[in-house]
Amino acid sequence: MARGVLKLPEDLPVSVPRFVGKEVTRLEDPGLVTGTAEFIDNLSLAGMLHCAILRSPHPHARILRIDTSAAEAMDGVAAVLTGEDLRRWCNPAVTAPEGWGSYSMAVDKVRFVGEPVAAVAACNRYLAEDALEQIRVEYEPLPCVPDAHAATTPGASLVFEEKGSNVIQSRVYDWGEVDRMFAEADHVVSNTFRWNRVGANPTETFGCICQWDLTGNALTCHGSYQVPRFMALGRSATLRLPANRIRIIAQPMGGGFGGKGGPRGTDIAALLSRKAEGRPVKYIEDRIEYLLAGGGQSWDRHYEAALAVRADGTITGLKVKLLDDQGAGAEGYGTISAAKPLAAFTGCYRIEAARYDLTLVATNRAPTYPFRGYGPPPHYFVLESLVDMAARKLGMDPAELRRRNYIRPEQFPYVVPSGNEYDSGQYEVVLDKALALADYAKLRAEQARARAAGRLIGIGVVSTVEPGVFDWNCYATVGVPGVGVPEGVKVAVDILGNVTVAVGFNLQGQGQFTVAAQVAADYLGVDMHAVRVATAASDVALPHFGQGGSRLGVSVTGAVLGACRKLEVLFCRVVAHLMQTTPEQVELMDGRLRLKANPAVGMTLAEVAGTMLARSDLLPPDVEPCPEANYVWTAPGRTAPDEQGRCKSYLTAANATHLVMVEVDRETGQTSILGYWIVDDCGTRLNPATVDGQIEGGVAQGVGAALFEEYVYGESAQPLVTTFVDYLIPTIGEVPSSRKAVVVTPSPVSPLGAKGTGEGAIHTTPAAIMCAINDALSPLGIEVRETPASPRRLWQLLQQVA
Amino acid sequence: MTDKQRVCVTVNGRRYERWVEPRLTLVDFLRHELHLGGTHVGCEHGICGLCTVLIDGRSGRSCLTLAVQVDGAEVTTIESLRDPSTGALHPIQQAFVDAHGLQCGFCTPGFIMTTVELLRENPDPSDEEIKRALDGNLCRCTGYQSILASVRLAARRLREGREA
């Protein structure tokens, strides 16, 4: 009969797991290294048209008139779309909080540079772009709201007039006796911090092909969709179609990191198809469109923050005041980024009380979207910088100050002031391993010698908690309802013993198809290559979410285990019936259903599946001829939030310490990374090579955020960054080769003990680098509290003391 | 739009003759006229290197090259690498699989084509030489460390194959 919860890989019904926990090569890769994977722009449909979008050059302007007649008259142009069509057929985007969404194409006024104003469907993309040049738009510029501070200035222009204010949300969370902690503190360190806009920038931009079925009143969209089911729900709301008439087919994606975007592009292509009598319309966003107005801008934040510290180094209180520039509304769910830190507000530390004073405002910058980490990277930059400032004030080593304040292993499960419960961890073990790996004492001695020689060398030692397996409840306070995030799979065995795992998501890079196959293969005792993982379209897939919030590795594992367990129960019943015994006498082991009392007697999966499919006369009367099982997993034990947002939200708490040594060049302000060391604990490593890849990729994005990447806006909200010449993604020359070691503390609450691990490195790297730079600058009495610490920014600081 | 021009080009050993608009980029020509979809587009302004192909043996940006410019040239794309009879991966492709040198895989064909050129000219490159060769290719997923390892592995296997 079926086993209970599988806490560790050793609990799988095989003598020795062959795939789980091993560095297996990925199922995904052959199609990717040969260039044959079907990314959206590799897909063509018969009669397909190509879309190009005309975008606003103004940050804030009334649209007086649009003349599309010349474009419509062009040979090869099939349809032209403007805001008037949207007004007639659509609703504005649904947002959280509600009421801060625009139509997918500007109606009456534009709110940011790059907002779609008109679009053309033509027989090829070149011609569609020619047609855009024939569209005449008259604008009346309006006073604009260029940044977060301007948004709250009395008399400021309103981005959404009907709201009467640019403040999307303003509230204070109070957790514990914050005022008393600060009143009783021996030291208070406080400061302001600025995190400038960065974003996902996957190498593939957003793309889709939409086809409106005019007779069936239905819509089919192929595209680079990260969360197909939610894309269908969102389109249902904007396009006024029942959600079950929207079929979202996710193609393999060239990266996502949360910032793929897609709602506006999908709506526009869909409506062009509707106007072009149902011909399919392809829209492939180009890089300039992505950088201007795609899903790639996140975290535009102004902070004031303070730490209460006792003389012995005990940190007792944390206050964070955040003014967050959401851009032109909440359509990209950037608001969630501000709520996410609730899952780990106080990081690794036993801080008793905390306050989060949060103001989210709308401006005439591009709307903000998720980006890997979804909020904590800037928060940890602030928290960890304060910890370093406290260490300097107390004259303590920053690693020792952290050690003194860590949550201790025996304190888990540990509830942080902001309400989430951490499952497990060994923070001091991780720290000590990192210090040993880097030979910290030697690095400090090197630093002392270099300083004596006048060089600016600094060391950052930063530990963070990565909340893994997100839950909607964490975001309730910005207006996202719900508890639980279903992830469903179907596991089917065919007559020859091949196994199919049908999932609701497609490839995005993190290797979850491989994880699903590893788990299914080890549970069912088959070779990994006997397992095929396939994506089901959104209208027939089980409830699912897909990639996001460091959850899919864990949740797909839970779903596959659940479905395999149901198959095991079913197969045991069939075999018991055939062998005239009871199901309790039958067990699954190494791919065979066998008699417990006589293991030599049994049936293979193929024999059982074949019997079910082809010999219904032999089945128990109430068993369907269906060797398949569905299972929809959601994290156990999640709770509804209280009035202060407190709840059990993210299921797992991974932990890492990053140690980095940098040198700042006095003459140029350029930062060089001299060494980088990482010790990571994400519980059971389902595929260690994939985990390493997640860490290394997160480090690279963290290096970008700390040193290079920034969406710069001019004083009038004009974006000054529109190409990769301006938005500086780190190359192979800028990303350090890190030395790594591992601690494994299996999660007691997750399937096989795995913890979410996609976001830990980007939580940690920016803070570690910024702390290292400030350690380097500390002899000069200056510090950088704004990201990225670009050469220009550091050079200007250095001039103050030159 | 202007009158179409004739392009005669050899792609992956096969000769093509097509009439194209002068403004048609090489990458659009490869992808949409010849249906060789393995060469990807990342920025269309020459920074990301996703569209890298070999033009007369030298790596080049097919987004900044016009189709009419390769008239008379030989172009090599990712589709040429797999063994046509067995379907076996090229040693560089296999090394990227074995050393986990990719995640989403969208930038991978560009990296592999750049690596083809590098290892042809320098069979035993140092890490610094690999970095110099690949610093015109952006990857947003891997952080490059596994790409470095993949190129090292491919170089070793190609050298051993040559000696064997």
Side-chain angles (χ1 to χ4, degrees):
Chain A
M1 270 310 280
R3 58 210 73 247
V5 176
L6 279 70
K7 287 185 175 276
L8 291 168
E10 295 81 68
D11 299 336
L12 287 158
V14 282
S15 309
V16 181
R18 289 190 294 158
F19 308 110
V20 172
K22 305 290 190 295
E23 279 199 14
V24 296
T25 56
R26 304 192 317 166
L27 300 180
E28 291 91 337
D29 288 355
L32 296 169
V33 295
T34 52
T36 50
E38 203 166 49
F39 293 108
I40 183 61
D41 197 29
N42 287 15
L43 185 65
S44 280
L45 300 181
M48 189 173 78
L49 298 163
H50 297 262
C51 162
I53 298 175
L54 185 69
R55 294 173 180 276
S56 168
H58 298 284
H60 200 194
R62 208 158 295 292
I63 298 170
L64 301 178
R65 204 162 292 109
I66 304 183
D67 180 359
T68 59
S69 54
E72 282 170 45
M74 285 173 65
D75 187 17
V77 170
V80 179
L81 188 76
T82 69
E84 285 310 305
D85 298 306
L86 280 280
R87 192 202 305 277
R88 181 163 37 128
W89 286 332
C90 298
N91 299 321
V94 175
T95 60
E98 284 177 23
W100 292 89
S102 298
Y103 287 93
S104 289
M105 181 169 277
V107 172
D108 296 327
K109 76 167 188 174
V110 293
R111 295 192 172 96
F112 59 98
V113 173
E115 183 167 11
V117 171
V120 170
C123 58
N124 68 56
R125 174 71 180 248
Y126 289 71
L127 193 65
E129 293 193 16
D130 289 345
L132 295 186
E133 293 179 9
Q134 301 302 317
I135 297 175
R136 297 282 167 265
V137 185
E138 272 183 57
Y139 296 96
E140 179 194 1
L142 297 167
C144 81
V145 182
D147 59 44
H149 292 297
T152 50
T153 305
S157 186
L158 294 175
V159 181
F160 290 77
E161 281 93 351
E162 66 277 16
K163 305 301 281 189
S165 159
N166 291 319
V167 177
I168 296 173
Q169 189 176 65
S170 183
R171 68 162 294 179
V172 178
Y173 304 88
D174 251 316
W175 303 304
E177 296 181 79
V178 190
D179 290 327
R180 186 170 68 83
M181 293 303 159
F182 277 82
E184 293 177 0
D186 296 309
H187 303 279
V188 171
V189 287
S190 61
N191 233 315
T192 59
F193 301 88
R194 171 81 172 114
W195 179 289
N196 284 293
R197 271 184 189 225
V198 293
N201 271 291
T203 53
E204 179 201 46
T205 54
F206 173 73
C208 62
I209 302 172
C210 299
Q211 185 160 24
W212 199 294
D213 174 352
L214 295 175
T215 50
N217 194 36
L219 175 67
T220 299
C221 308
H222 298 261
S224 50
Y225 294 115
Q226 178 162 346
V227 186
R229 179 164 265 238
F230 281 82
M231 188 58 69
L233 280 175
R235 309 295 49 77
S236 171
T238 56
L239 298 172
R240 301 183 191 161
L241 279 175
N244 66 347
R245 291 182 180 276
I246 298 175
R247 181 176 171 79
I248 300 284
I249 301 169
Q251 303 295 132
M253 275 170 73
F257 317 112
K260 201 73 170 182
R264 283 183 183 251
T266 301
D267 284 355
I268 289 168
L271 293 167
L272 282 168
S273 174
R274 182 175 181 172
K275 287 191 94 171
E277 287 165 24
R279 288 174 69 180
V281 175
K282 176 185 267 191
Y283 170 59
I284 303 294
E285 179 182 59
D286 72 23
R287 182 60 58 182
I288 292 172
E289 292 180 290
Y290 180 86
L291 287 164
L292 264 185
Q297 302 194 24
S298 306
W299 312 335
D300 190 341
R301 296 183 170 182
H302 304 260
Y303 282 101
E304 292 170 40
L307 214 51
V309 190
R310 291 201 195 122
D312 66 356
T314 306
I315 304 169
T316 55
L318 169 66
K319 289 195 283 195
V320 177
K321 185 175 180 185
L322 168 62
L323 176 62
D324 193 331
D325 183 343
Q326 291 287 315
E331 67 184 59
Y333 291 85
T335 47
I336 288 177
S337 289
K340 161 88 181 272
L342 267 67
F345 197 80
T346 40
C348 299
Y349 310 116
R350 300 184 315 271
I351 300 177
E352 276 180 57
R355 174 174 297 152
Y356 194 20
D357 180 340
L358 188 64
T359 302
L360 311 177
V361 297
T363 68
N364 291 117
R365 297 182 173 201
T368 49
Y369 277 76
F371 176 28
R372 191 182 203 163
Y374 221 168
H379 181 81
Y380 280 136
F381 154 58
V382 171
L383 172 59
E384 295 296 315
S385 294
L386 287 173
V387 173
D388 264 26
M389 288 168 188
R392 276 195 285 278
K393 192 158 197 169
L394 293 164
M396 279 181 73
D397 184 278
E400 291 312 307
L401 180 57
R402 285 174 170 82
R403 179 197 305 281
R404 191 162 300 191
N405 286 282
Y406 284 151
I407 299 160
R408 291 187 297 266
E410 69 276 12
Q411 292 180 297
F412 292 100
Y414 185 88
V415 178
V416 293
S418 49
N420 194 22
E421 181 181 272
Y422 295 173
D423 62 322
S424 61
Q426 306 180 67
Y427 303 161
E428 196 169 359
V429 173
V430 170
L431 174 75
D432 281 332
K433 205 161 186 174
L435 297 180
L437 185 70
D439 200 344
Y440 183 60
K442 191 169 142 228
L443 291 186
R444 285 291 180 200
E446 268 178 46
Q447 179 189 30
R449 281 196 300 277
R451 272 186 181 167
R455 290 167 66 194
L456 301 176
I457 300 261
I459 297 168
V461 190
V462 161
S463 314
T464 62
V465 166
E466 174 188 9
V469 192
F470 93 85
D471 202 283
W472 294 118
N473 59 2
C474 188
Y475 319 138
T477 52
V478 291
V480 181
V483 179
V485 185
E487 191 67 47
V489 306
K490 179 176 87 175
V491 176
V493 182
D494 76 10
I495 204 159
L496 296 175
N498 298 301
V499 175
T500 301
V501 180
V503 299
F505 57 88
N506 207 326
L507 305 185
Q508 196 190 100
Q510 306 94 330
Q512 290 100 347
F513 275 30
T514 300
V515 168
Q518 287 173 277
V519 174
D522 269 343
Y523 200 114
L524 299 175
V526 300
D527 195 77
M528 244 181 86
H529 291 283
V531 182
R532 176 163 180 261
V533 184
T535 306
S538 68
D539 57 343
V540 293
L542 293 167
H544 61 271
F545 185 85
Q547 294 92 350
S550 287
R551 72 179 280 284
L552 191 53
V554 173
S555 55
V556 82
T557 296
V560 171
L561 290 177
C564 287
R565 194 157 59 225
K566 284 169 82 173
L567 269 183
E568 181 186 7
V569 171
L570 179 63
F571 281 24
C572 284
R573 286 191 59 206
V574 171
V575 170
H577 187 75
L578 293 170
M579 297 193 176
Q580 299 179 350
T581 181
T582 60
E584 290 74 23
Q585 301 307 313
V586 182
E587 66 177 4
L588 171 65
M589 180 53 69
D590 293 328
R592 285 174 71 249
L593 282 300
R594 65 185 193 184
L595 295 181
K596 285 181 185 168
N598 185 2
V601 175
M603 293 175 73
T604 64
L605 288 181
E607 287 166 343
V608 181
T611 303
M612 292 179 75
L613 289 165
R615 288 300 303 268
S616 61
D617 56 319
L618 300 179
L619 293 182
D622 60 336
V623 168
E624 295 169 52
C626 181
E628 302 183 355
N630 292 336
Y631 192 87
V632 183
W633 186 88
T634 191
R638 302 304 89 193
T639 55
D642 69 9
E643 78 292 346
Q644 290 294 327
R646 287 173 293 213
C647 58
K648 287 192 191 181
S649 56
Y650 284 61
L651 179 69
T652 64
N655 161 242
T657 291
H658 289 207
L659 205 155
V660 55
M661 189 178 205
V662 303
E663 176 161 16
V664 176
D665 186 315
R666 277 177 194 266
E667 301 301 318
T668 64
Q670 176 133 12
T671 301
S672 306
I673 297 173
L674 306 180
Y676 207 107
W677 299 266
I678 299 172
V679 178
D680 176 80
D681 180 1
C682 63
T684 302
R685 299 160 95 82
L686 298 169
N687 185 344
T690 295
V691 173
D692 282 347
Q694 288 300 303
I695 294 168
E696 287 162 2
V699 167
Q701 291 176 345
V703 167
L707 297 177
F708 305 108
E709 299 177 30
E710 179 179 357
Y711 283 98
V712 183
Y713 280 83
E715 284 173 11
S716 59
Q718 274 290 339
L720 304 181
V721 164
T722 57
T723 69
F724 276 162
V725 182
D726 318 305
Y727 193 85
L728 303 175
I729 306 267
T731 76
I732 196 168
E734 283 86 42
V735 180
S737 295
S738 53
R739 285 192 60 203
K740 293 194 285 295
V742 168
V743 170
V744 175
T745 312
S747 170
V749 292
S750 81
L752 304 183
K755 298 183 179 185
T757 191
E759 301 170 315
I762 198 172
H763 284 15
T764 321
T765 301
I769 292 175
M770 295 302 287
C771 285
I773 291 172
N774 281 329
D775 187 46
L777 299 178
S778 62
L780 303 179
I782 52 175
E783 60 191 8
V784 56
R785 298 190 307 275
E786 180 170 4
T787 62
S790 58
R792 179 184 62 86
R793 212 159 259 144
L794 290 183
W795 184 83
Q796 283 171 343
L797 264 178
L798 287 162
Q799 295 317 295
Q800 295 172 11
V801 292
Chain B
M1 233 189 329
T2 48
D3 290 342
K4 291 188 172 182
Q5 292 185 19
R6 196 177 69 136
V7 177
C8 292
V9 58
T10 302
V11 180
N12 301 336
R14 193 183 171 126
R15 197 169 167 281
Y16 296 88
E17 183 180 327
R18 291 286 189 280
W19 287 83
V20 301
E21 284 187 52
R23 64 179 176 175
L24 183 71
T25 62
L26 175 57
V27 70
D28 283 349
F29 176 74
L30 292 170
R31 291 177 52 76
H32 302 308
E33 297 277 334
L34 306 188
H35 303 289
L36 296 169
T39 305
H40 297 147
V41 176
C43 72
E44 292 178 290
H45 46 259
I47 301 297
C48 75
L50 263 71
C51 65
T52 302
V53 297
L54 303 184
I55 302 168
D56 290 331
R58 309 294 309 182
S59 61
R61 301 281 204 246
S62 60
C63 75
L64 294 185
T65 306
L66 297 172
V68 293
Q69 290 177 279
V70 297
D71 184 46
E74 276 196 37
V75 175
T76 310
T77 71
I78 188 77
E79 283 86 356
S80 71
L81 296 188
R82 193 157 46 156
D83 185 305
S85 54
T86 65
L89 298 180
H90 184 280
I92 297 174
Q93 291 173 315
Q94 190 62 49
F96 271 72
V97 173
D98 293 342
H100 295 268
L102 63 152
Q103 289 181 26
C104 82
F106 199 64
C107 69
T108 309
F111 272 97
I112 288 177
M113 295 315 291
T114 308
T115 304
V116 168
E117 180 188 45
L118 167 69
L119 298 186
R120 188 189 63 216
E121 296 183 356
N122 181 357
D124 191 10
S126 67
D127 279 4
E128 281 315 305
E129 288 169 330
I130 296 172
K131 286 184 184 179
R132 255 202 309 282
L134 297 183
D135 69 3
N137 290 75
L138 294 181
C139 170
R140 193 59 162 164
C141 294
T142 63
Y144 303 103
Q145 307 316 301
S146 60
I147 292 176
L148 205 54
S150 301
V151 177
R152 276 189 224 119
L153 179 63
R156 183 163 59 77
R157 286 180 178 169
L158 285 168
R159 286 198 308 277
E160 287 167 0
R162 225 163 272 148
E163 285 157 16

